[in-house]
Amino acid sequence: VSKGSLSPLDLTSEAKAFIRLVLSNRPPKHMQQAEPPAFIDNDAPPAPYTGFKYYLPEIALTPGYKHNAWICQHTDHARVRKARRSHYQTLATALAAGCGGQPLYAEVGDAVPYVLPFLLDDARHFTTLRRAGIQILRWEELAETVTCPISQDYRRRLVQIPCHQSLRQQDIDYIVHVFRQLEA
């Protein structure tokens, strides 16, 4: 295998992940449509600048993003809500005591979260967690930072822990394991 190419095992893993994504987002039979939905008008004027550094809202109008609308219309939303709430609550409970910080909100309530907001005790833990392979982001990574010292502190220490519906139990166990190592 040449450098930069995928091995047969990697290709198999990628194919399985793609199939799992497609199958996990299929709606119940009564919700399936015969024709793809009408998408956003690509000739619409671009949205005004929002203050984000790396995201331009007009990108969402491009053909490359049309698949998102299709996926949203063909997803079992009840399953997604249940999985996200369950993953959030599992992570919040497991990370509530001595794991390098604390969840910002211990209970999920009626929300359907994609991430668990977590306030790190030490901003340097962010790099440790990323190097361990956890796909976290800082909360305001994309937004311009204001001059308020409290906001700047939270920008460095408040992270987003994934709790989306595609997480497996072994993913959640790994996240908890790595966070527990922060205090060791």
Side-chain angles (χ1 to χ4, degrees), residues 1-175:
V1 176
S2 65
K3 186 176 182 180
S5 64
L6 296 174
S7 71
L9 182 59
D10 291 336
L11 289 173
T12 302
S13 296
E14 289 293 321
K16 285 181 182 178
F18 177 75
I19 290 169
R20 189 169 45 249
L21 172 69
V22 170
L23 294 178
S24 70
N25 285 319
R26 287 175 42 192
K29 290 277 187 210
H30 71 278
M31 293 176 60
Q32 293 179 3
Q33 298 176 352
E35 294 181 22
F39 291 107
I40 299 170
D41 177 12
N42 288 328
D43 295 327
Y49 178 67
T50 61
F52 289 103
K53 291 181 182 178
Y54 306 110
Y55 174 74
L56 299 173
E58 61 268 20
I59 291 173
L61 303 175
T62 63
Y65 282 80
K66 289 181 179 180
H67 68 280
N68 290 333
W70 186 90
I71 289 172
C72 286
Q73 291 181 348
H74 292 83
T75 295
D76 180 353
H77 294 283
R79 182 193 63 78
V80 169
R81 283 191 298 273
K82 181 179 178 183
R84 287 185 183 185
R85 286 179 178 141
S86 174
H87 295 164
Y88 183 104
Q89 204 58 62
T90 299
L91 285 165
T93 301
L95 300 177
C99 292
Q102 63 189 23
L104 202 58
Y105 303 101
E107 300 291 327
V108 69
D110 292 333
V112 183
Y114 193 72
V115 295
L116 167 68
F118 189 88
L119 188 60
L120 296 169
D121 291 336
D122 185 335
R124 292 176 294 185
H125 289 326
F126 177 80
T127 303
T128 303
L129 295 164
R130 291 289 293 184
R131 285 186 178 151
I134 298 176
Q135 296 298 311
I136 61 168
L137 294 174
R138 288 189 172 108
W139 195 262
E140 293 294 335
E141 191 77 277
L142 301 179
E144 293 178 3
T145 304
V146 295
T147 58
C148 171
I150 295 170
S151 296
Q152 289 176 347
D153 177 50
Y154 268 54
R155 184 195 178 282
R156 290 187 302 272
R157 295 190 310 122
L158 186 58
V159 297
Q160 305 173 55
I161 303 172
C163 65
H164 55 79
Q165 68 276 6
S166 297
L167 287 179
R168 300 166 296 174
Q169 186 60 47
Q170 69 189 50
D171 299 325
I172 293 170
D173 293 344
Y174 180 72
I175 291 169

